[in-house]
Structures are given as C-alpha cells and as structure tokens.
Amino acid sequence: MEEDLMLNLKKQIIEVLNLEEISPEDIADDAPLFGEGLGLDSIDALELIVLMERNYGIKLSDPVQSKAIFQSLKTMADYIAANRTK
Amino acid sequence: MDIYISGASQISMQEPLSTGWFTQPVLYDASYRRSVEADYRQFIAPMAARRMGRLLKRAIAVSSDALRQAGLDMPDAIITGTGLGCIENTENFLSAMTFQGEELLQPTQFIHSTHNTIGAQVALHLHCHGYNSTFTHTGISFESALADACCQMQTGRIATALVGGHDEMTPGYFRLLEKTGYWKPDATQARLRLADTPGAMAGETSVAMVLRNVCSDTAMARIAGVSLLCKPDDRRLTEAVEELTQGTIPDALMTGRSGDCADARIYRHISQMLYRDRVPALWYKHVFGESYTASAFGILTAALCLQRQTVPAPWLLRPEDVGRLPQALQNILCITQFQNKVYALTFLKSC
Amino acid sequence: MIPEIYITGCGICSALGIGKKAIWEAIGRMQSGIGEMHHLATAHRELPVGEVPLDEASLRQRLNIPPDEVSTRTELLGRLALLEAVEESGLEPWLQRDNRIALVSGTTVGGMDKSEMYFRDFLENDTRNAYIATHDCGACTEMIAAAAGHFDRITTISTACSSAANAILTGSAWLRTGQCEVAVVGGSECITKFHLNGFRTLMILDEKPCRPFDASRAGLNLGEGAAYLVLATGPALEKYGMKPLFRLSGCGNACDAFHQTASSPNGEGAYRAMREALRESGLQPADIGYINAHGTGTPNNDLSEGLAIERLFGAVPIPPVSSTKAFTGHTTSASGSIEAVLSLMVLEHQQIPVNLRYTRRTEGLSFDAATSPQPPAEIRHVLSNSFGFGGNDTSCIFSKL
C-alpha cells in the first residue's frame, strides 16, 4: 500500500510539474524535493498544494507548514497516508 | 541619432532561426498555420523550460539567436511587443475557471498568462536587470516597442536594446476570431494576392531584433525613425510620412496587406495618395500569415532587402514592379495599420 | 537639453470614490475603501476587496452610454478618470485633429471582465461576439480614448502591476523626444474573477483587510480603479493655455530578473528603479520628502522593498514611507497612476496618507511606516514605486514647481 502510494505520487508529481526528463526511479524517497535534490521551486510548491487537494482531499493553507510536508517524497507520502480524505 | 538593426531572428511558419525564406519562402494555401518549432534544448535547460509554453520558448530562442548574431551578451533593455500575450495560458486558466469552477486552478497557468511574462522570462534567462517594458496595442504592438527603444536611446537611457514581437495563435483563439470574420476560409495564395474577399491567413510571430546606437559589421539596416498614429486622415498621414522620410521618395513601400479586402483597399489608397502608386509595393503576410505582431516580419524582410541589396520576387505585390526597383536600394518605408484605427510607419535606410 | 515635464491636470477613481476631492477627503478621514465584495460575481465572496462603489449600470448612466454600445468595466473606470484629467487641465477642447496629443494607457486585464462572463457563449453561440473584439488591451485603450476626443498617437503598456507607471515613463520619453506635445498617461483596471483566482492560487490574498509593512501582514487585497495625468513641456503649455501644477522630475525602470512572481530578497530591481529615477531627476535621496511605496502587504514584497529603500538611502534618514494600498486595495495595472495622483495630492496638501493598520515593525527593517499625516518638513519631491510580476519595477518622482 505504502509502496503504491509512493509510486503513484512520483508519477503525479512528474506529470503536474512537467518533469519530462525524469522517471519515477530518479526520485529518491528521502532526497530533498526543493533546492538541491530535485530542484523544485516556490511555484512547484503551489502546484503541489493543488495536487494534494485534488488527488487526496488535503487542504493546505499555510505555505510554511507546506514546506515541512514537501521536504521529501517520504514526508509527503507520510502526511498523505495520515491525512487523506480520498 | 543613428540606430541600427544589428541582429535579428525569427520563428514562424517558415524555417525557424533561418533566413532561407528570404529567397525561397514556402507559400502555403491555408487559413491557419502554426509556427515550425525549433530545437529549444540548445537554448533552454529542461528544468527551466518545463513550465514554458511554446510562445516563451520561441521568444527565448529568437532572442538568444539575435543577440548571438549581433555579438552582444547583455542588452541594456528588453522591450517586447505582443498583441495578446501568452494567450494559450490565459485560455487554459479561463477555460478551467469557466468549466471546472473557481477551485483547484493551476498557479502556473496564471503566472504565465500575463503579457509581460515574455519579456520577464527573457530577462530571467539573460539575468538582465536593465530597462524592461511590454507594449500591447493590436497591430502596432511591435512598432510601439520599437519606437520606445528609439526614444530611450535618444534620451540616453540605453545604448542597446533587444526588441521582440511575439504572438501565438491557439486553435481556440483562432475559432473566436473566426467568428468575427477575421480569417479567410480556404485561403489560397491566389486569393490572398487578389484580396477580393474578407479575412486573412492566420499565423504566429516570434521575432527578435537587436538594436544598437553604433554601426557594426553585423548591422543590417538603419532605423531612420518610427511614427505611431491614431486614426490619421490623409493630411496627417502625408505629414507624418514627410516628417519621417524628409521628403525622400522611398525605393519601396513594405505594406502590411493581409489579403483581406477592406485592408487591401486601405493600402491601395495609401499607395495612391502618397506616391500615386509609383513606388513598388512589397508584402509579407502571404509568407508569414497575419497576427498582431506580424508587422515585425515586414521590418525584418525590409532590413534583409537593404542588407543584401535585393528584393526577391516573392515580396513584390506586382511582379512587373521588379523593373522599377533601383540598382542600389537606399531605403524602404514600412507601413502597417490595424482596422484603420492605428498606424505605424517605420523608415529603414541601408547602412 | 532635456525639456522639463509639467503636470497640468489629473483624474482618478478608486474604491475611495470618484474624483480627487472625494478620494482625498476619505484619506483625511482615514477611511479605507476596502470592504465586502458587491460587484464581482465570484465564488470567493469572503475576500475583502477595494471596489469602485458603482455597478456597471450606474457607471454607464454616469457616462451617458447608449444602451446598444458595448462596454467593459476597465473601459468605464478609465473613462471616468480620463474625463476628470482632461477637464482639470483644460485639454478637453483641444482633443481634436491637428493637435499632437498622445495617450499612453496601462492595463493587463483589458476586457477580461466580459471575456470571463461570456466565455461559454464565445464557445457555444454567437450572442456575445461583440465582446470578442473588446478583449485585448489595445481595444480597451481605444474605447477609453474615443470617449474623450481625438488623440494623434496612442499605445498600451502591460507590465502587470507597474503598467501605469511605465505609461508615465513612456509618455515622458515621447515628450522629451518630440513625438507629441502633450501626453495623457495612466492606466485602468477593474477587478476580475480571472486575476482574483490567479492571485488566490499564489496564496497571496489576505482574507482580512491588508496590513502593508506591518509585522502581521499576510497578503494583499485586490482593488480597482483608474487614473490619468496630463503631461506637457513648456511650449505646449502656452499653445494649449494650460497651467503647470507640478513637475514630473524623472522615472526609473529596471528588472528584478529573479523570479516570475516573487521579489528578490534584497530588492535588486526595486533599488535600481529608484536609483535610476533619482539619476534622471538629478536629485539626491535627501531631497525626497515622502515615499509612496508599492507596499502590497505580502510578506515578500514589503520586506524586499523596505530593504531596497534602506539601501538607497544608506546613512541618509529615510523620509516618511506609506503604502496607500491599505486604502485602495492593490489596483494592479492602475496602481502606478492612482498612486501618482495621490502623490500629487501629497505635494499639494502637504499631508501624508497614513499607512493604515500599521502597528508593529517588520523584523529585518530599520524603519516604520508613516502613521502621522504631518510631514516633518516641507515635501518638495515624492518618490512613488510600482513593481510588477516578472520583476518589472518602475519608480517615478513628482515635484512641486
């Protein structure tokens, strides 16, 4: 279940952020999504907030709180597993 | 003040980032052609390109190519003309808002929907902190940008400028404009030349020009002046042309004829009124199609004519005019108008 | 020799009211125009906004628009402000052929209010085709212009929230290079669902009335309105019998080139724009008596702008700074000219529009926003900032004669 969520999430991130040159295997579970690591930026963070609501029914209104959740793929998946409504 | 076009590049329905079209353009029989895309990977890193729509990628590619030709790394200014801005993103956001409601909208679509996204993304790409502005006024958007560059050079604010004309035409927006009679159904080259029915052929524009206030090896043509006019009558138009050309009769008139019958009547009148039809008329919209900034192609083509000292046959509205062109081309007057409301005159001289 | 540029009249409308008088009185009463939403048909009614207090029917009635004529809200607001400006300057009778009078107008939404209202019709039927041609920004400027009279030269600028400030800059460049004798400059913008939702996706809208520069600030409120200024050089004053009221001393334009929507942490573009405006004016930081800040109320803008102001002034004491967006909301493309007109009223009345809802200084800044209307010294020059998405930063300096 957890594995499935991680893989789906990777695919969704690649799609919504247009990471055409990246495949799910390229995203390490623990690597940082922002800055070094995957190199995402603040606009990506806003897109991820939309993704969380659309795909998992999770509303994030505080960009600071979101930062902690979007630290790595694992932190994101953990938060989804604990808070998802769909 | 002397201002020179020192480098220029284009992406359109012709071969991208090339001037092969100058002597051998592909002439389409079509109501709507989109641009032939270039290979953008040589200009933009994939991470930077992933959010960009076509229009932004094209703008960065033609800007980089024009700067390279001009041998300039960093312009003092980036000045953009665009009639509709990033209309694809605008449409996407508007469509999502209309059909899915006001939730879960995508920030990127909005961020990249404004007119100045083009100039901003070019500035970001070049890390250019200089003067940056965007003009968006229908068919004179590009000339407004060009006129601004000339003004800012004259007042000494800048010495070089990257001036762009950028418009995309999405299938959605094509259909909307089609409803207003903007396009010629089943447009053919013959029909466009005849211009006896309403409508034009739709195209897309991405043109970048590098302007410098000194002449260099790469200079293509000198911009003697740009004039913008609002609803001029014959007297005002004549006066503006006299001021600009200082009474010189130009070697050729580059007209913005689109193939639309009303539009053709206006250019016929201008040519008759100004020069009793004795100056050879050139055109370009049968090669590049119509778009708000298509007139940038007219100026680009005229600059190439002056640089290479030749007017290839495809640009002559009447093939028989070839004999009326002088051996040495000294100047070309480019004239464009939009629905008889706004006019722009650009007077180019050979270097 | 660069000719001096005079301001001979101006006009304005915003959430504070229609016309300079009403607006200056509201500012004197410290009465904000930000409040409940009345006119915009959106699902996000809970967001506070600064709407011009007239619906479309009242605006059309006020402007005597015949029933069969199409209009957009940006156009109507623009017409109101333009009429006041040409009337005050005495330019009205001269707006006809043979006079070299230009119009430079800034907008980004253009006819979007109608496009978003009728988008479905555009796609599905032919009932609203008349509004397809009113969508673009140039059409909007032409509609605003046509109502006032004949302009010899006209164009439109769209650099997001600095559009109207760049219209001022471009108009002054046209005058300085002899492209026209008089330049009417400014901008107009109505609130649309399109940009309200856009700003919402960026999570920069405050659900409470905005608090520019305050430590607790949490975003901006959208506003709407329009303003125009009449600029002329010396010879034109005589020709058209206009009286100079103020001077436009200089403008600066620079690009932050940092991010599509966010300001750089050190406000590089803002600093360069202000420095360039000073250079063009031939003034020193110490000459500036008041700064009308861009001050949107977002955590990012106000800190970045504040740091740029500190850098510009260095050891020189910073004059009173306030953001009038706590009164008007962020009027986006029109904000540059709306705040230019407010700056002129500051020069005229020697009173500072206080920075409403300011209680606590922002960490990282060394100065407070102005909370007293009394200036410490005579204000001879005002610096007005307008910064837009894409890092399009522009500053203008207005001066007493």
Side-chain angles (χ1 to χ4, degrees):
Chain A
M1 186 66 194
E2 175 96 346
E3 292 268 296
D4 275 358
L5 173 61
M6 296 277 254
L7 184 62
N8 282 338
L9 190 55
K10 285 180 188 178
K11 286 182 186 160
Q12 289 160 1
I13 290 174
I14 288 169
E15 197 211 325
V16 80
L17 304 183
N18 295 319
L19 301 168
E20 283 161 15
E21 319 247 314
I22 289 170
S23 59
E25 306 85 72
D26 298 336
I27 307 176
D29 296 354
D30 288 318
L33 292 173
F34 290 81
E36 287 164 38
L38 200 52
L40 303 185
D41 63 15
S42 60
I43 299 175
D44 295 309
L46 294 167
E47 291 287 356
L48 292 182
I49 288 172
V50 177
L51 183 153
M52 293 287 272
E53 186 174 351
R54 187 174 48 219
N55 296 6
Y56 302 102
I58 297 171
K59 261 194 175 177
L60 300 171
S61 53
D62 179 4
V64 180
Q65 179 206 11
S66 321
K67 226 176 213 172
I69 298 166
F70 298 152
Q71 226 162 33
S72 68
L73 197 90
K74 177 133 196 348
T75 55
M76 217 175 144
D78 287 346
Y79 190 85
I80 292 170
N83 296 283
R84 65 190 298 171
T85 61
K86 66 179 182 193
Chain B
M1 157 154 295
D2 292 342
I3 297 167
Y4 299 89
I5 301 175
S6 305
S9 185
Q10 63 79 36
I11 289 177
S12 65
M13 61 178 80
Q14 301 297 322
E15 189 190 344
L17 309 177
S18 147
T19 53
W21 51 267
F22 180 64
T23 46
Q24 286 175 312
V26 185
L27 297 172
Y28 293 101
D29 287 331
S31 298
Y32 172 35
R33 292 287 306 188
R34 301 208 69 172
S35 287
V36 180
E37 305 295 347
D39 175 14
Y40 299 112
R41 278 172 303 187
Q42 55 172 312
F43 299 103
I44 322 164
M47 265 316 253
R50 71 202 159 92
R51 276 196 286 259
M52 291 179 186
R54 272 178 270 238
L55 188 67
L56 295 176
K57 288 182 193 164
R58 292 172 191 162
I60 287 174
V62 295
S63 299
S64 307
D65 190 36
L67 286 166
R68 182 191 56 76
Q69 287 178 35
L72 188 68
D73 293 329
M74 186 67 79
D76 290 347
I78 296 170
I79 308 178
T80 308
T82 176
L84 291 169
C86 300
I87 196 71
E88 181 163 28
N89 290 93
T90 305
E91 240 183 301
N92 288 345
F93 196 79
L94 194 53
S95 186
M97 203 173 79
T98 306
F99 297 104
Q100 293 154 43
E102 295 176 74
E103 293 294 342
L104 301 174
L105 295 167
Q106 285 187 280
T108 305
Q109 300 288 359
F110 174 70
I111 290 169
H112 282 183
S113 74
T114 54
H115 300 73
N116 68 330
T117 309
I118 305 162
Q121 287 289 321
V122 173
L124 264 172
H125 184 77
L126 298 173
H127 305 289
C128 178
H129 288 293
Y131 180 90
N132 193 305
S133 197
T134 298
F135 291 81
T136 170
H137 198 108
T138 61
I140 59 163
S141 301
F142 179 75
E143 287 80 358
S144 294
L146 201 61
D148 190 45
C150 296
C151 275
Q152 303 302 344
M153 282 189 182
Q154 274 176 272
T155 60
R157 201 190 287 278
I158 58 171
T160 59
L162 174 65
V163 179
H166 303 282
D167 272 298
E168 59 188 337
M169 184 49 63
T170 60
Y173 213 78
F174 173 83
R175 276 193 297 276
L176 292 196
L177 289 178
E178 193 174 33
K179 290 167 67 156
T180 67
Y182 212 81
W183 312 123
K184 203 184 282 302
D186 309 319
T188 61
Q189 287 291 320
R191 274 255 96 81
L192 290 171
R193 191 176 287 266
L194 216 53
D196 58 349
T197 56
M201 163 171 72
E204 301 185 295
T205 303
S206 302
V207 171
M209 288 182 194
V210 174
L211 306 190
R212 308 183 91 136
N213 63 0
V214 289
C215 190
S216 63
D217 295 348
T218 66
M220 302 164 68
R222 184 158 78 81
I223 301 178
V226 184
S227 283
L228 308 176
L229 293 164
C230 179
K231 297 180 185 162
D233 54 14
D234 284 355
R235 196 159 58 104
R236 179 68 184 105
L237 188 61
T238 308
E239 182 188 47
V241 168
E242 295 248 311
E243 257 174 53
L244 195 63
T245 60
Q246 297 180 328
T248 310
I249 295 181
D251 295 334
L253 198 61
M254 181 62 82
T255 70
R257 264 177 75 115
S258 69
D260 172 85
C261 51
D263 178 80
R265 267 198 302 279
I266 295 167
Y267 287 110
R268 268 197 295 268
H269 172 75
I270 293 170
S271 180
Q272 179 65 38
M273 193 258 308
L274 289 176
Y275 303 116
R276 298 187 181 180
D277 225 7
R278 284 181 191 152
V279 173
L282 314 181
W283 69 320
Y284 51 91
K285 286 185 183 169
H286 61 310
V287 173
F288 296 105
E290 173 73 297
S291 81
Y292 286 114
T293 41
S295 54
F297 289 118
I299 295 171
L300 173 58
T301 305
L304 278 168
C305 290
L306 290 166
Q307 185 185 26
R308 300 190 186 176
Q309 286 293 303
T310 177
V311 179
W315 311 107
L316 284 162
L317 190 60
R318 290 178 300 253
E320 64 272 22
D321 274 349
V322 68
R324 297 165 79 177
L325 287 163
Q327 262 318 326
L329 282 173
Q330 289 185 320
N331 48 54
I332 297 177
L333 176 63
C334 304
I335 183 160
T336 192
Q337 57 81 32
F338 183 79
Q339 295 178 350
N340 214 11
K341 289 175 186 159
V342 281
Y343 281 64
L345 311 167
T346 308
F347 193 43
L348 296 183
K349 291 187 172 180
S350 58
C351 292
Chain C
M1 177 66 192
I2 292 172
E4 297 228 308
I5 291 174
Y6 299 100
I7 297 160
T8 63
C10 56
I12 182 171
C13 65
S14 78
L16 295 174
I18 316 287
K20 285 196 288 184
K21 192 164 175 291
I23 286 174
W24 192 250
E25 281 170 8
I27 287 177
R29 289 194 304 270
M30 297 189 193
Q31 187 186 330
S32 172
I34 292 169
E36 227 176 278
M37 199 181 293
H38 293 289
H39 305 303
L40 190 71
T42 168
H44 307 299
R45 306 282 300 187
E46 73 287 355
L47 291 167
V49 287
E51 289 178 319
V52 170
L54 289 173
D55 64 8
E56 189 172 345
S58 320
L59 284 169
R60 286 177 62 101
Q61 196 179 15
R62 210 176 158 122
L63 290 158
N64 291 319
I65 297 177
D68 55 341
E69 195 178 304
V70 297
S71 62
T72 67
R73 191 165 169 90
T74 295
E75 174 215 344
L76 298 175
L77 300 180
R79 283 171 66 165
L80 276 181
L82 183 61
L83 285 179
E84 188 186 13
V86 297
E87 203 177 290
E88 183 183 53
S89 61
L91 200 62
E92 232 174 346
W94 299 104
L95 285 172
Q96 46 182 299
R97 290 198 178 279
D98 300 330
N99 294 324
R100 302 287 182 95
I101 301 169
L103 175 68
V104 187
S105 190
T107 189
T108 299
V109 312
M112 179 60 87
D113 66 313
K114 288 298 191 295
S115 297
E116 66 189 20
M117 204 179 282
Y118 301 136
F119 192 61
R120 205 182 270 271
D121 296 308
F122 287 177
L123 301 178
E124 294 169 0
N125 59 61
D126 289 322
T127 58
R128 303 292 180 182
N129 286 359
Y131 292 99
I132 293 173
T134 62
H135 172 81
D136 75 270
C137 300
C140 183
T141 302
E142 284 173 13
M143 287 157 81
I144 293 171
H150 179 79
F151 288 91
D152 182 57
R153 186 183 166 106
I154 177 172
T155 198
T156 308
I157 291 183
S158 183
T159 53
C161 302
S162 59
S163 301
N166 277 323
I168 296 172
L169 184 154
T170 294
S172 72
W174 283 9
L175 285 169
R176 285 184 171 152
T177 53
Q179 311 288 320
C180 58
E181 294 171 333
V182 178
V184 183
V185 295
S188 179
E189 196 123 291
C190 71
I191 302 180
T192 65
K193 251 165 66 168
F194 187 92
H195 70 289
L196 182 94
N197 276 287
F199 278 73
R200 193 169 168 271
T201 65
L202 301 182
M203 303 178 84
I204 52 173
L205 293 179
D206 196 337
E207 287 171 8
K208 290 187 284 190
C210 66
R211 299 170 299 286
F213 289 107
D214 190 73
S216 74
R217 71 191 182 281
L220 60 88
N221 307 135
L222 282 180
E224 64 180 357
Y228 291 92
L229 290 75
V230 178
L231 310 181
T233 49
L237 296 181
E238 220 166 289
K239 179 171 174 185
Y240 298 110
M242 293 191 292
K243 200 172 127 219
L245 303 173
F246 308 96
R247 268 186 322 114
L248 170 65
S249 293
C251 303
N253 165 313
C255 187
D256 204 29
F258 170 74
H259 188 276
Q260 187 56 39
T261 58
S263 307
S264 58
N266 65 345
E268 183 66 26
Y271 169 75
R272 285 171 183 252
M274 292 188 284
R275 190 183 59 183
E276 171 76 3
L278 280 174
R279 187 198 61 76
E280 194 173 77
S281 318
L283 294 170
Q284 298 298 318
D287 297 322
I288 302 297
Y290 163 65
I291 299 175
N292 185 290
H294 186 55
T296 58
T298 63
N300 174 237
N301 175 82
D302 297 3
L303 179 60
S304 166
E305 183 178 10
L307 291 172
I309 291 171
E310 288 178 2
R311 185 174 160 201
L312 184 76
F313 280 79
V316 176
I318 294 174
V321 177
S322 73
S323 164
T324 43
K325 289 187 174 70
F327 279 105
T328 60
H330 188 353
T331 56
T332 52
S333 292
S335 63
S337 55
I338 284 181
E339 290 167 29
V341 172
L342 297 180
S343 298
L344 299 181
M345 289 196 276
V346 168
L347 290 171
E348 183 186 346
H349 300 284
Q350 292 292 311
Q351 293 245 319
I352 291 163
V354 298
N355 197 106
L356 289 181
R357 299 185 282 275
Y358 181 87
T359 52
R360 203 153 48 88
R361 183 184 292 186
T362 290
E363 201 179 320
L365 289 185
S366 65
F367 66 94
D368 284 304
T371 48
S372 159
Q374 291 313 318
E378 191 199 7
I379 302 170
R380 298 205 56 81
H381 308 278
V382 174
L383 172 73
S384 177
N385 285 339
S386 302
F387 306 146
F389 277 180
N392 280 160
D393 297 342
T394 297
S395 301
C396 300
I397 297 175
F398 304 98
S399 307
K400 286 184 76 163
L401 292 180

